[in-house]
């Protein structure tokens, strides 16, 4: 057997790019197929181990390595985060997107929440699409894929239902096409503060804890992890925590009495089944653990019931969401709060950054969202987007839905980019310019 | 003969006030003033509800006036009287002597006042001012049935007045009759004071008998009706602060003020009441809106106390009914994203409940905190929430 030198070996495996990216040095010849011993991939960023001092666990003080320097950092690759990253990047600034898991879409995909609510308002005889811009572009691209989406249209069927894998693929494609700097498998744990100004974040990874420095940070974590770390005020909520799943091989037709076979998906015979679940504190680890375990158990119990029903013996469990269905946890205390009364009065916000479709408690009215609901009261260089924006206890049940998350995502991305370009803090962004940019990106502002 | 004085400055002023009021004043002014003028409504409602309201400022002087001047109200104030007079003028030749027609108005007035003592003013809604307010008071969408009914009633009255000029005022109208009764009473006193007992002739004995029979009869009937089993149980949704249902049907004079005053437009004249007594009395519909936490207008606009004039806080403490959720139709029952009702409830009275056994969440109405404001009804996408009268809950 011919002995390869280190370089040849790596090239042979096609790993050149990875090597350049910091794969490290192969130390010795391969021992087993596909497994090599390399030097330098050990987590150099971890720092020294913690130690005990009087029985307390202490972390040693150290300098944290900086993994990236960027203009706009988006934390969280859910609906809001992806749209925010696309909006910022398209506005022409360097944009980094950090996601703790391995795919994009968050609850929309990994959470298997497949129905995109609140895109339209009903009108005379037909519906009018409110959610345009990047969100609608994404939906259109998903729809253009085979088995990508059902019920997607301009003025007819609404509440598009999408396929999670197509969505993950389309989101990743679009991010890569725009040249967004993508960082996966990295869990943001803290903020870097300079007085009241955020200068970046710390994240945990297989390689240890590292820092990303940024001029503006967008919190799209859904739970407000970043604004909470930065000391911005927020309101804690408990909400129902569910675990969504999909069933395969489901016969056509209505569900029999007492069986919940969920809603249709773009794949024939496959249905997605929502779960309400118990109310709980979505930031509490034991709660999340129990909801995950109990939720799975409940799904299997229900499946058994379905399979015992004549005609449904061959229904099988296709998958259970890999992301637990957290509806609401923290919401930002913003410079403005989206309020039910104001929405029902159809208050005209001078700083409107998006208009969403209607929802049950909005009585067929559209919903304008003010920029202030993304801006923390005190902390600078930080914007919220997605389900953690500032809204009252009723309206958070609107802002948390997928289409409104698209709106707040696009607005946060565009505003962050403007702040970088104009060299100001997001709170001082010229609202007229922001609205102009959003319109140029296709958004509908009323 | 002439029943009405040839010219009256008061009457002219009243007509000018009504015309300008209808055109220029906020509708609430006429709503307050018109029924407030009627001494009949005033006396009966104060007795029936044991409560005296702000409208006394208007009603008390009016009462004094009619005691002082027999039929002063008819002659100088009453807009219906004026219409009746116009009709009479069209028939100058007609015979207006109704000496042999029974005193229907007096019996109605006596029975009603007697009933009021037992809290049930039986024929209160015959009051001409209530009828007039119902027919001409400001327009309002949900009100058209009631307006039509009142306008119809007024039209009947006018046709009657053409056929039998002045019959209404002389023999039928309880408001007019009450003034006669007061005047007779006054006369009785005057004579007693002038110490000429032999003069108390047959008429006065008649008055005593009428009063005894009318008031006593009214009291007895009302007392029985109020105590009838189930009479007080609410079978309809009434505006907040409404008196119990047995009394409501008689105390409410169908003037439509509550309907007009409701900014949410949830008060409707009941066209399908469970019993005929409740016909066109206000009932609630939460199809499009609900009873606002910021409003207490209906009670403030009710001339009779059928709906108590409560402060905002007291009104919000009132129970209108109780929300009831038909659980099988609820979206949560099929695990669809909702709980709109819980999100919108201004009192947090809709509670989410989780069953660990079935691993499902449902919404439940907390009967202690729910006041039946109806906010949840219109937001429920499948419309499975209704508000039931408190008595039925
Ligand atoms: C069970 C359930 C049913 C629902 N049903 C519907 C429905 O029918 N229709 C509808 O429109 N909406 C529905 N929703 C709401 C909607 O799905 C979500 O609220 C919405 O998708 C949230 O989008 P987001 O981008 O704000 O947050 P998420 O989708 O939660 O995205 C947050 C992303 O950030 C990542 N992240 C979080 N923290 C960190 C961190 N510290 N570091 C790095 N990455 C992090 C997460 O992994 C995730 O990818 C439902 C929600 C649930 C839970
Ligand atoms: S609004 Fe209607 S469907 Fe929704 S949770 Fe309440 S009762 Fe159920």
């Amino acid at each position: 057997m011919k002995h390869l030198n280190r370089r040849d070996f790596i090239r042979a495996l096609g790993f050149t790019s990875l090597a350049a990216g910091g794969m490290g040095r192969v130390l010795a010849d391969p021992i087993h197929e596909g497994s090599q011993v390399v030097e330098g991939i050990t987590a150099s960023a971890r720092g020294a181990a913690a130690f005990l001092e009087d029985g307390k666990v202490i972390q040693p003080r150290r300098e944290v390595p900086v993994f990236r320097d960027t203009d706009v950092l988006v934390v969280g690759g859910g609906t809001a985060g992806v749209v925010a990253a696309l909006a910022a990047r398209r506005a022409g600034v360097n944009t980094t997107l950090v996601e703790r898991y391995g795919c994009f879409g968050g609850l929309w995909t990994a959470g298997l929440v497949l129905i995109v609510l609140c895109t339209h308002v009903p009108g005379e005889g037909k519906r009018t699409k409110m959610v345009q811009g990047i969100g609608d572009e994404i939906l259109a691209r998903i729809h253009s894929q085979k088995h990508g989406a059902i019920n997607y249209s301009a003025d007819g069927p609404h509440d598009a239902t999408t396929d999670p894998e197509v969505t993950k693929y389309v989101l990743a494609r679009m991010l890569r096409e725009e040249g967004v700097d993508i960082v996966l498998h990295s869990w943001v744990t803290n903020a870097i503060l300079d007085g009241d100004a955020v200068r970046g974040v710390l994240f945990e990874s297989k390689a240890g804890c590292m820092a990303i420095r940024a001029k503006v940070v967008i919190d799209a974590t859904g739970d407000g992890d970043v604004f909470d770390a930065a000391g911005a005020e927020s309101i804690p909520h408990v909400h129902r925590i569910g675990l969504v799943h999909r069933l395969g091989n489901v016969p056509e037709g209505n569900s029999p009495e007492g069986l919940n076979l969920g809603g249709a998906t773009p794949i024939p015979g496959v249905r997605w089944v929502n779960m309400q679940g118990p109310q709980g504190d979505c930031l509490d680890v034991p709660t999340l653990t129990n909801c995950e375990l109990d939720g799975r158990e409940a799904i299997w119990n229900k499946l058994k019931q379905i399979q015992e029903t004549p005609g449904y013996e061959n229904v099988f469990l296709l998958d259970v969401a890999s992301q637990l269905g957290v509806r609401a946890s923290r919401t930002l205390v913003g410079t403005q709060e989206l309020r039910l009364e104001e929405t029902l009065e159809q208050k005209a916000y001078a700083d409107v950054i998006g208009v969403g479709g209607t929802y049950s408690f909005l009585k067929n009215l559209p919903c304008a969202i003010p920029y202030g609901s993304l801006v923390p009261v005190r902390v600078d260089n930080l914007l919220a987007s997605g389900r953690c924006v500032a809204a009252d206890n009723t309206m958070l049940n609107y802002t948390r839905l997928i289409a409104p998350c698209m709106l707040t995502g696009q607005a946060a991305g565009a505003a962050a980019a403007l702040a970088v370009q104009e060299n100001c803090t997001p709170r001082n962004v010229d609202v007229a310019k922001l609205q102009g940019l959003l319109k140029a990106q296709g958004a509908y502002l009323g | 003969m002439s029943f009405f004085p040839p010219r009256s400055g008061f009457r002219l002023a009243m007509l000018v006030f009504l015309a300008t009021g209808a055109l220029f004043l906020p509708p609430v002014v006429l709503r307050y003033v018109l029924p407030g003028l009627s001494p009949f409504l005033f006396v009966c409602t104060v007795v029936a509800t044991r409560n005296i309201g702000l409208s006394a400022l208007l009603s008390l002087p009016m009462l004094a006036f009619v005691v002082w001047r027999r039929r002063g109200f008819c002659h100088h104030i009453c807009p219906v009287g004026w219409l009746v007079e116009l009709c009479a003028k069209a028939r100058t030749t007609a015979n207006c002597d109704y000496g042999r027609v029974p005193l229907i108005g007096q019996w109605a007035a006596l029975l009603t006042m007697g009933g009021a003592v037992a809290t049930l003013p039986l024929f209160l809604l015959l009051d001409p001012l209530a009828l007039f307010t119902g027919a001409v008071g400001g327009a309002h969408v949900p009100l058209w049935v009631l307006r039509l009914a009142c306008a119809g009633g007024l039209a009947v009255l006018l046709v009657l007045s053409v056929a039998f000029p002045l019959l209404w005022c002389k023999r039928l109208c309880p408001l007019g009759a009450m003034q006669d009764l007061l005047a007779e009473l006054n006369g009785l006193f005057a004579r007693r004071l002038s110490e000429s007992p032999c003069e108390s002739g047959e008429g006065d004995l008649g008055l005593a008998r009428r009063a005894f029979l009318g008031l006593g009869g009214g009291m007895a009937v009302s007392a029985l009706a109020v105590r009838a089993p189930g009479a007080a149980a609410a079978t309809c949704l009434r505006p907040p602060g409404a008196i119990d249902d047995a009394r409501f049907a008689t105390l409410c004079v169908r003037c439509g003020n509550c309907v007009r005053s409701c900014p949410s437009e949830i008060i409707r004249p009941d066209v399908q009441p469970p019993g005929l007594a409740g016909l066109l009395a206000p009932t609630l519909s939460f199809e499009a809106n609900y009873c606002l936490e910021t409003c207490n207008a209906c009670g403030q606009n009710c001339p009779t106390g059928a709906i108590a004039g409560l402060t905002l806080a007291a009104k919000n403490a009132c129970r209108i009914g109780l929300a009831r959720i038909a659980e099988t139709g609820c979206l949560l029952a099929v695990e669809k994203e909702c709980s709109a009702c819980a999100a919108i409830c201004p009192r947090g009275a809709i509670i989410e409940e989780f069953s660990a056994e079935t691993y499902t969440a449902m919404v439940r109405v907390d009967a202690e905190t729910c006041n039946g404001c109806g906010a949840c009804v219109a937001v429920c996408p499948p419309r499975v929430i209704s508000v039931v009268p408190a008595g039925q809950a």
Side-chain angles (χ1 to χ4, degrees):
Chain A
M1 195 179 179
K2 182 181 167 249
H3 273 229
L4 294 170
N5 66 22
R6 193 188 82 229
R7 234 190 161 73
D8 291 339
F9 181 74
I10 290 170
R11 196 177 290 132
L13 286 170
F15 277 172
T16 0
S17 58
L18 273 185
M23 172 81 171
R25 207 154 52 79
V26 177
L27 290 180
D29 294 337
I31 304 166
H32 301 294
E33 276 176 80
S35 162
Q36 309 85 47
V37 180
V38 289
E39 182 191 297
I41 65 163
T42 43
S44 56
R46 185 168 289 137
F51 56 90
L52 292 178
E53 201 173 85
D54 301 333
K56 294 184 186 116
V57 183
I58 305 292
Q59 257 187 339
R61 185 186 148 93
R62 63 161 185 139
E63 182 187 341
V64 178
V66 175
F67 181 72
R68 288 281 200 284
D69 262 308
T70 187
D71 291 334
V72 172
L73 170 67
V74 181
V75 182
T79 310
V82 170
V83 177
L86 289 171
R89 183 72 196 119
R90 284 182 185 180
V93 297
N94 289 326
T95 306
T96 301
L97 175 56
V98 190
E99 163 59 43
R100 66 176 161 173
Y101 297 147
C103 65
F104 294 112
L107 285 169
W108 186 15
T109 56
L112 289 181
V113 174
L114 304 185
I115 189 164
V116 180
L117 296 177
C118 306
T119 46
H120 288 62
V121 287
E124 282 137 23
K126 61 172 194 173
R127 297 184 166 265
T128 313
K129 192 185 285 182
M130 296 282 118
V131 175
Q132 300 173 19
I134 296 176
D136 191 49
E137 190 187 324
I138 292 173
L139 288 175
R141 271 184 80 160
I142 295 170
H143 183 60
S144 71
Q145 300 277 326
K146 194 165 172 148
H147 297 311
I150 51 173
N151 293 334
Y152 173 76
S153 78
D155 54 11
H158 54 115
D159 295 351
T161 303
T162 53
D163 179 78
E165 289 308 323
V166 171
T167 307
K168 287 177 196 170
Y169 169 70
V170 165
L171 296 179
R173 258 282 21 100
M174 290 177 75
L175 290 166
R176 295 182 103 175
E177 280 168 13
E178 292 300 336
V180 171
D181 171 35
I182 297 172
V183 181
L184 293 177
H185 298 295
S186 297
W187 191 307
V188 169
T189 52
N190 222 330
I192 306 171
L193 275 184
D194 173 7
D196 276 340
V198 175
R199 301 282 184 220
V201 299
L202 300 185
F203 67 95
E204 276 301 337
S205 68
K206 282 288 169 188
C209 175
M210 291 183 279
I212 297 179
R213 280 195 297 233
K215 294 182 180 142
V216 178
V217 177
I218 296 175
D219 187 340
T221 59
D223 296 318
D225 289 1
V226 183
F227 64 62
D228 186 61
E233 246 185 289
S234 64
I235 300 170
H237 299 272
V238 292
H239 210 306
R240 299 184 304 277
I241 306 174
L243 191 60
V244 185
H245 66 280
R246 287 193 297 175
L247 298 173
N249 229 351
V250 183
E252 291 283 312
N254 291 338
S255 311
E257 185 75 24
L259 279 196
N260 178 18
L261 295 170
T265 74
I267 304 177
V270 171
R271 297 177 72 89
W272 77 281
V273 189
N274 198 357
M275 179 195 281
Q276 298 307 325
Q279 264 188 350
D281 176 357
C282 312
L283 303 169
D284 179 53
V285 173
T287 302
L288 296 177
T289 305
N290 287 334
C291 285
E292 190 77 53
L293 297 175
D294 294 348
R296 274 172 204 275
E297 204 129 343
I299 290 170
W300 282 101
N301 288 341
K302 285 180 187 178
L303 180 69
K304 210 169 129 220
Q305 212 186 327
I306 293 171
Q307 288 169 338
E308 281 165 1
T309 309
Y312 295 86
E313 297 88 348
N314 295 325
V315 172
F316 65 89
L317 179 60
L318 179 60
D319 52 0
V320 175
S322 49
Q323 184 174 333
L324 186 62
V326 167
R327 287 180 172 83
S329 50
R330 299 183 190 101
T331 57
L332 180 74
V333 174
T335 56
Q336 203 160 359
E337 184 186 63
L338 189 63
R339 305 177 70 93
L340 177 71
E341 314 87 77
E342 293 181 356
T343 307
L344 292 178
E345 284 164 15
Q346 293 285 284
K347 177 170 174 179
Y349 298 106
D351 62 344
V352 58
I353 45 82
V355 179
T358 195
Y359 190 51
S360 58
F361 47 72
L362 296 185
K363 305 186 176 170
N364 290 337
L365 296 167
C367 175
I369 303 172
Y371 181 51
S373 60
L374 318 184
V375 183
V377 173
R378 179 176 45 82
V379 177
D380 265 324
N381 297 351
L382 181 67
L383 287 169
S385 69
R387 61 180 163 87
C388 50
V389 300
D392 70 23
N393 206 26
T394 304
M395 288 309 287
L396 81 84
N397 285 295
Y398 178 81
T399 48
R400 75 181 180 85
L401 298 171
I402 296 170
C405 286
M406 292 171 164
L407 300 179
T408 52
Q410 184 167 353
L418 260 187
V420 170
Q421 282 160 343
E422 308 264 306
N423 201 13
C424 63
T425 63
R427 82 175 66 255
N428 294 327
V429 157
D430 179 344
V431 170
K433 268 195 190 155
L434 171 60
Q435 290 167 334
L437 174 56
L438 286 169
K439 280 187 195 155
Q441 288 188 347
Y444 169 74
L445 302 184
Chain B
M1 60 131 267
S2 158
F3 176 77
F4 290 102
R7 226 173 270 114
S8 157
F10 272 127
R11 158 91 51 85
L12 209 63
M14 183 70 192
L15 291 177
V16 170
F17 167 74
L18 278 182
T20 48
L23 286 177
F24 301 113
L25 292 178
V28 67
V29 176
L30 284 191
R31 245 185 263 153
Y32 268 113
V33 169
L34 267 182
L37 288 173
S38 163
F40 178 61
L41 277 188
F42 173 70
V43 169
C44 293
T45 56
V46 167
V47 173
T49 61
R50 278 78 161 137
N51 192 357
I52 186 160
L54 256 187
S55 63
L57 290 178
L58 213 62
S59 316
L60 270 179
M62 191 56 65
L63 191 62
F65 176 59
V66 298
V67 171
W68 172 56
R69 294 286 292 269
R70 180 177 187 144
R71 288 275 185 167
F73 183 85
C74 307
H75 295 162
H76 301 290
I77 312 282
C78 182
V80 176
W82 177 70
L83 291 175
V84 170
E85 189 193 356
L86 283 185
C87 293
K89 279 196 176 140
R91 298 278 309 277
T92 40
T93 56
N95 175 19
C96 297
D97 181 10
Y98 300 114
R100 291 172 51 199
V101 177
L103 297 167
I104 296 174
Q106 278 203 17
W107 285 110
L110 286 169
L111 284 168
T112 305
M113 289 190 285
V117 176
T119 69
L120 216 93
L122 296 169
F123 302 110
L124 195 63
L125 57 76
L126 287 179
D127 184 278
L129 278 194
L131 193 68
F132 189 76
T133 316
V136 307
H140 198 267
V141 188
L143 199 59
W144 65 271
V145 197
L146 186 88
R147 273 191 104 190
L148 216 64
C150 289
L154 202 60
V156 168
L157 198 156
L158 295 181
V159 169
L160 185 84
S161 299
V162 173
F164 306 99
L166 303 182
L167 175 66
W168 166 262
C169 295
K170 289 181 164 183
R171 281 296 185 272
L172 305 182
C173 174
L175 170 53
M178 186 187 116
Q179 297 171 71
D180 287 344
L181 287 167
L182 283 173
E184 278 185 57
L185 213 62
N186 211 4
L188 206 65
F189 272 118
R191 259 165 281 158
R192 284 267 157 77
L193 288 179
S194 68
E195 307 244 351
S196 43
C198 49
E199 259 186 81
S200 55
E202 218 191 308
D204 301 327
L205 263 183
L207 172 66
R209 205 170 53 218
R210 262 177 284 144
F212 178 76
L213 285 177
L215 292 176
M219 230 148 80
V221 171
S222 299
L224 282 178
V226 167
R227 275 165 193 74
T235 48
C236 305
L237 286 175
R238 300 289 187 209
I243 201 161
D244 66 81
D245 240 35
R247 293 171 172 90
F248 193 85
T250 61
L251 253 181
C252 166
V253 292
R254 318 297 197 264
C255 68
N257 276 353
C258 52
V259 185
R260 287 184 194 94
S261 67
C262 177
S264 290
E265 303 195 355
I266 56 170
I267 311 185
R268 312 276 158 100
D270 197 350
V271 285
Q272 290 174 305
L276 206 59
L279 190 66
L280 297 182
T283 188
L284 304 182
S285 152
F286 298 118
E287 280 311 298
N289 228 322
Y290 73 102
C291 178
L292 301 171
E293 320 67 282
T294 51
C295 175
N296 58 347
C298 51
Q300 298 294 338
N301 278 274
C302 176
T304 68
I307 311 170
L310 300 174
T311 60
L312 196 58
K315 183 236 104 178
N316 282 331
C318 268
R319 171 157 298 169
I320 300 169
L322 191 64
R324 189 180 270 171
I325 301 173
E327 287 186 1
T328 47
C330 169
L331 292 179
L332 297 184
V334 287
E335 299 280 3
K336 285 207 173 135
E337 214 57 10
C338 198
S339 77
C341 52
I344 200 131
C345 177
R347 318 177 136 235
I350 300 186
I351 297 162
E352 292 175 19
E353 258 176 8
F354 177 74
S355 152
E357 202 182 320
T358 58
Y359 215 77
T360 50
M362 279 307 294
V363 278
R364 179 180 66 83
V365 178
D366 179 37
E368 289 295 304
T369 23
C370 173
N371 71 339
C373 75
C376 50
V377 175
V379 302
C380 174
R383 293 286 175 130
V384 295
I385 310 183
S386 54
V387 177
V388 295
Q392 283 178 10

